[in-house]
Amino acid sequence: MASERAPRTLFEKIWSKHRIMERDDGQVLLYIDNHLVQDGAAPAFEMLRRRGIAPRAPQRTFATPDHYVPTDSRDLNTVADPEKRRMAEALRQDSARAGIPFFGLDDRRQGIVHVVGPEQGLSWPGTTIVCGDSHTSTHGALGALAFGIGATEVSHVLATQALWQRKPRTMRIAVDGALGAGVSAKDVVLSIIGRIGTAGATGHVVEYTGSTIAGLSMEGRLTVCNMSIEAGARAGMIAPDDTTFQYLAGRPFAPAGQAWDDAVTMWRNLPSDADAAYDREVALVAGDIQPMVTWGTSPEDVVPITGRVPDPAGVSEAGRREALTRALAYMGLTPGTSMTDLRIDHVFIGSCTNGRIEDLRIAAGVVKGRRVAAGVEAWVVPGSGLVKEQAESEGLDRIFKDAGLQWRYAGCSMCLGTNGDMVAPGKRCASTTNRNFVGRQGPGSRTHLLSPAMAAAAAVTGRLTDVRKLLDNAA
Amino acid sequence: MKPFEPLDSIAVPILQANLDTDQILPARYLQKPRSDDFGQYLFRDLRLRKDGSEVPGFVLNRPPYRQGKIMVGRSNFGCGSSREHAVWALYDYGFRAVIAPSFGDIFFSNALKNGLLPIVLPVEVVDKLLDQIAAEQGAQVKVDLAAQTVTAPDGTTHRFAIDPFAKHCLVNGIDELDYTLSQMQHIVAFERRHEAENR
Ligand code: SF4
């Protein structure tokens, strides 16, 4: 039977279901189903304490430390800086005081909060999820409305389980067709950012659609939604389908028994209606997407691995020319250089973008039977303790170690270096993370963003390399 | 939060587009308590060398600009991470308003919640403003929140939009949480319904 209501998008269905009330100025008080908390949350808890307010819904809150934890041991005391140690410690205390479920360093389930949430079945389709971290957009891969918030907003959610929001605009990014060999979800999202720019989706919630997206594994979808924020989006989301349900089924915090069946019935109604309208639409063809790598200091500074370092002289707009020149100076690059001529010092495989089991399997597949190039320091940092265990049970750790990569404990690590894992000044890092900002991996660090397969290829060749060449050789 | 006062101040031009929060406040200061003066970490790696000496030529190291309370930037100002510390750094340094053609979404809402007024003006207006304040160090810009206007050094006045509620909070130094707590009965009622529906 045709519904009488106007066709709605996935976003609109979730938004209207969580609308508590509307203010005169049009801002909506949105109910928050699920609040994830990491070890940057100390200031937010402090704000509440100062007002004498206790967290209102600990059962809807979940905490695990990731930014400040060491990755060479599970002993917090090895973190030299007492202030940093204090951040991870504060989360344990704040969680205990409030009765918030907490996976600490002594818990094998600890990890990067955006890896742990989906892994534990905490992130459900149709729900609202927030966290004081911009990459909360990751969880949208399961069909949730998930977005990052600031410290004051974290304290607001802790106090009220609700948040004031102006309704964002919607944008559909459709990717259709088959991806080529050696091309992954990371290349898809880097291509999207290259196409629309880092402000391309500002003020919008992006829904990714099309046969390519539908064909991605849950891991791949999480990678795409993760980097929505690098396109400026408030959130990214993908309609839930059988891939989603199969991924969630049986996970510790997912519904079970009759509740599971009821939930799936409800979740099947979430996908956008056929005629639903979006404020903006962008389309990409999967077959055009190559393995991508960034050259500059913004995620939009991206080219196919077959490309070259751009030349500022060819840019007419003065501001853009100046920015490009500055980026090249920082990155130590000469215009016109082939990307594959760039030697690298570090490789980092991990983060909430690419620290899941599938990412490690792909990277291990590339390094297997090969050796890390001389002079290169390569790290693998699993996204969670359970990813680490799974990888070890499959023997991936052996493959990495035999090839000369370091196998470490779960955490954010070298993605932003707040725990002390950093790239030294002037050193070049091939990294599976999401940001290549000036100083992101440590003061003076030079980051090239790429996929796990491409990072593995860089590790064994010592330079940025088209992973497809290694695949051909292997075949 | 302190009430927002009308500004008549030197304006500081920041010419970099897509200025990310990692530049405004490097990650290695994220563990500092809010009681710290975050102004000392503002643009740390752009403003100061490793040894703490000033980078000559950086705009905040040129004397008249040091007193600025208004920053004028390019599009996508404050993109990147959700760190509220970026706003604290600008605020603690003395800034009370940032004018740009567009902002990172999270930075924008963080700013409003901390007494830092983010003002969106059309890119042509911002470009002209940048030209004027870069040409004459110490040029004054006025921000009148009540009237929702920015007055450029050349005397032209430009109206900007702001959510009435955010304006009310800024003008009176009120924090949003107090208002939400006064609406708690709506949240509780909603929650009961919501939980029953999803059981
Ligand atoms: S892995 Fe990197 S991007 Fe992800 S939460 Fe940690 S620091 Fe942030």
Side-chain angles (χ1 to χ4, degrees):
Chain A
M1 278 238 316
S3 149
E4 300 204 353
R5 3 159 149 251
R8 293 184 303 162
T9 61
L10 165 64
F11 161 75
E12 277 152 356
K13 292 179 190 183
I14 302 177
W15 177 270
S16 59
K17 200 162 182 269
H18 291 81
R19 232 169 134 276
I20 300 169
M21 60 186 287
E22 189 168 328
R23 225 159 52 189
D24 295 344
D25 65 349
Q27 289 227 20
V28 164
L29 187 62
L30 209 58
Y31 188 74
I32 302 301
D33 291 314
N34 192 357
H35 185 191
L36 306 172
V37 185
Q38 32 77 343
D39 49 4
F45 280 101
E46 179 59 28
M47 287 176 199
L48 274 201
R49 246 194 316 277
R50 237 181 278 139
R51 303 173 71 126
I53 302 175
R56 173 163 180 272
Q59 77 286 1
R60 288 188 174 275
T61 314
F62 167 82
T64 190
D66 51 14
H67 287 71
Y68 294 96
V69 302
T71 58
D72 54 352
S73 90
R74 293 286 80 173
D75 181 1
L76 209 51
N77 291 317
T78 61
V79 179
D81 182 338
E83 282 178 339
K84 297 189 170 198
R85 209 159 54 227
R86 187 57 225 121
M87 292 298 277
E89 189 48 29
L91 184 65
R92 191 180 64 76
Q93 289 165 355
D94 289 330
S95 301
R97 214 174 286 145
I100 295 169
F102 172 78
F103 295 174
L105 274 190
D106 52 354
D107 191 318
R108 43 198 275 278
R109 300 168 298 176
Q110 172 272 343
I112 305 170
V113 72
H114 309 311
V115 174
V116 174
E119 180 175 84
Q120 287 296 319
L122 281 156
S123 317
W124 298 1
T127 60
T128 49
I129 303 174
V130 296
C131 173
D133 186 279
S134 55
H135 289 100
T136 308
S137 60
T138 312
H139 308 262
L142 291 115
L145 173 60
F147 53 92
I149 56 179
T152 304
E153 291 176 318
V154 169
S155 71
H156 190 281
V157 174
L158 284 172
T160 65
Q161 207 57 31
L163 192 66
W164 292 102
Q165 289 288 298
R166 177 163 295 283
K167 192 175 182 183
R169 291 183 296 271
T170 53
M171 178 166 175
R172 170 159 63 184
I173 300 182
V175 190
D176 278 289
L179 292 171
V183 182
S184 70
K186 183 66 164 284
D187 303 305
V188 171
V189 70
L190 284 172
S191 298
I192 290 171
I193 296 163
R195 165 89 166 268
I196 68 174
T198 52
T202 302
H204 291 74
V205 165
V206 172
E207 182 179 344
Y208 302 94
T209 68
S211 62
T212 316
I213 301 293
L216 290 176
S217 66
M218 191 47 64
E219 277 88 351
R221 295 178 185 188
L222 288 160
T223 300
V224 171
C225 287
N226 174 271
M227 289 192 72
S228 303
I229 183 78
E230 274 68 50
R234 195 83 188 86
M237 56 208 311
I238 294 172
D241 60 9
D242 288 333
T243 302
T244 320
F245 308 143
Q246 272 158 26
Y247 174 90
L248 266 181
R251 298 203 175 249
F253 289 84
Q258 185 60 44
W260 170 260
D261 295 339
D262 295 347
V264 171
T265 306
M266 212 156 58
W267 294 342
R268 287 202 188 277
N269 292 322
L270 285 169
S272 297
D273 299 333
D275 309 328
Y278 299 80
D279 296 307
R280 271 186 72 196
E281 308 224 19
V282 172
L284 275 80
V285 177
D288 294 345
I289 299 174
Q290 312 278 319
M292 303 295 281
V293 59
T294 62
W295 51 264
T297 55
S298 165
E300 70 184 27
D301 300 340
V302 67
V303 287
I305 183 65
T306 52
R308 291 172 182 278
V309 175
D311 189 348
V315 177
S316 53
E317 202 252 308
R320 180 66 194 145
R321 189 166 59 236
E322 197 184 301
L324 214 147
T325 308
R326 200 173 331 111
L328 293 188
Y330 179 81
M331 293 297 291
L333 296 177
T334 313
T337 311
S338 290
M339 292 309 291
T340 49
D341 282 343
L342 295 181
R343 304 200 68 85
I344 48 120
D345 307 294
H346 278 272
V347 171
F348 179 73
I349 298 171
S351 86
C352 59
T353 315
N354 283 126
R356 284 170 286 269
I357 187 67
E358 185 183 277
D359 302 312
L360 303 193
R361 285 184 191 132
I362 291 170
V366 174
V367 303
K368 188 169 188 179
R370 296 186 163 103
R371 287 286 310 168
V372 171
V376 173
E377 185 169 324
W379 288 19
V380 185
V381 180
S384 73
L386 292 183
V387 169
K388 182 169 187 283
E389 269 188 21
Q390 176 66 28
E392 287 169 355
S393 77
E394 296 176 18
L396 305 184
D397 61 321
R398 279 258 59 92
I399 295 174
F400 288 125
K401 286 189 259 186
D402 288 348
L405 291 94
Q406 283 196 36
W407 179 246
R408 299 176 75 97
Y409 291 98
C412 294
S413 185
M414 212 177 260
C415 175
L416 110 152
T418 40
N419 73 335
D421 294 348
M422 282 196 271
V423 174
K427 297 289 183 194
R428 198 175 292 289
C429 181
S431 182
T432 67
T433 53
N434 46 47
R435 285 182 181 149
N436 53 348
F437 296 156
V438 167
R440 172 72 179 185
Q441 295 189 286
S445 60
R446 293 166 170 167
T447 304
H448 296 275
L449 304 175
L450 33 55
S451 73
M454 289 280 288
V460 296
T461 59
R463 56 180 66 226
L464 297 178
T465 297
D466 189 338
V467 67
R468 292 172 298 191
K469 297 248 163 74
L470 300 190
L471 299 178
D472 288 343
N473 291 348
Chain B
M1 204 162 86
K2 290 199 200 100
F4 188 89
E5 284 162 9
L7 295 173
D8 185 351
S9 150
I10 287 169
V12 179
I14 294 282
L15 299 176
Q16 201 179 323
N18 297 318
L19 184 79
D20 59 77
T21 52
D22 283 58
Q23 308 315 306
I24 302 174
L25 188 282
R28 61 185 185 280
Y29 304 114
L30 289 177
Q31 75 283 2
K32 299 285 179 188
R34 181 65 190 99
S35 53
D36 254 34
D37 165 21
F38 275 79
Q40 60 184 313
Y41 313 129
L42 176 68
F43 294 123
R44 174 61 179 72
D45 297 336
L46 293 170
R47 190 164 58 86
L48 302 176
R49 294 203 189 92
K50 219 172 165 187
D51 63 10
S53 63
E54 292 183 355
V55 173
F58 183 69
V59 63
L60 287 176
N61 293 333
R62 289 190 254 152
Y65 289 128
R66 266 179 239 253
Q67 273 68 53
K69 292 184 177 163
I70 300 168
M71 179 163 283
V72 186
R74 293 208 194 267
S75 57
N76 207 19
F77 188 100
C79 63
S81 102
S82 60
R83 62 187 69 162
E84 202 153 310
H85 312 62
V87 170
W88 300 342
L90 285 161
Y91 189 92
D92 287 1
Y93 194 91
F95 288 99
R96 293 295 176 267
V98 182
I99 302 170
S102 62
F103 289 88
D105 287 333
I106 310 180
F107 178 90
F108 189 88
S109 65
N110 284 343
L112 285 175
K113 292 174 186 355
N114 286 276
L116 181 73
L117 174 63
I119 300 173
V120 176
L121 287 178
V123 65
E124 316 81 59
V125 174
V126 174
D127 280 347
K128 271 207 197 111
L129 199 54
L130 281 169
D131 286 346
Q132 292 175 43
I133 63 176
E136 190 204 334
Q137 296 194 18
Q140 303 275 127
V141 171
K142 282 192 196 118
V143 172
D144 184 340
L145 176 56
Q148 294 177 221
T149 57
V150 170
T151 306
D154 66 3
T156 53
T157 293
H158 310 275
R159 222 181 125 72
F160 62 88
I162 181 173
D163 280 345
F165 184 84
K167 179 176 173 178
H168 174 77
C169 288
L170 278 168
V171 167
N172 299 296
I174 298 175
D175 141 1
E176 195 173 50
L177 181 55
D178 288 323
Y179 174 72
T180 315
L181 289 172
S182 75
Q183 304 295 315
M184 218 51 217
Q185 74 281 11
H186 296 295
I187 300 178
V188 172
F190 177 93
E191 191 168 56
R192 230 175 266 135
R193 237 176 22 245
H194 187 66
E195 288 186 344
E197 276 170 23
N198 292 290
R199 186 143 291 151

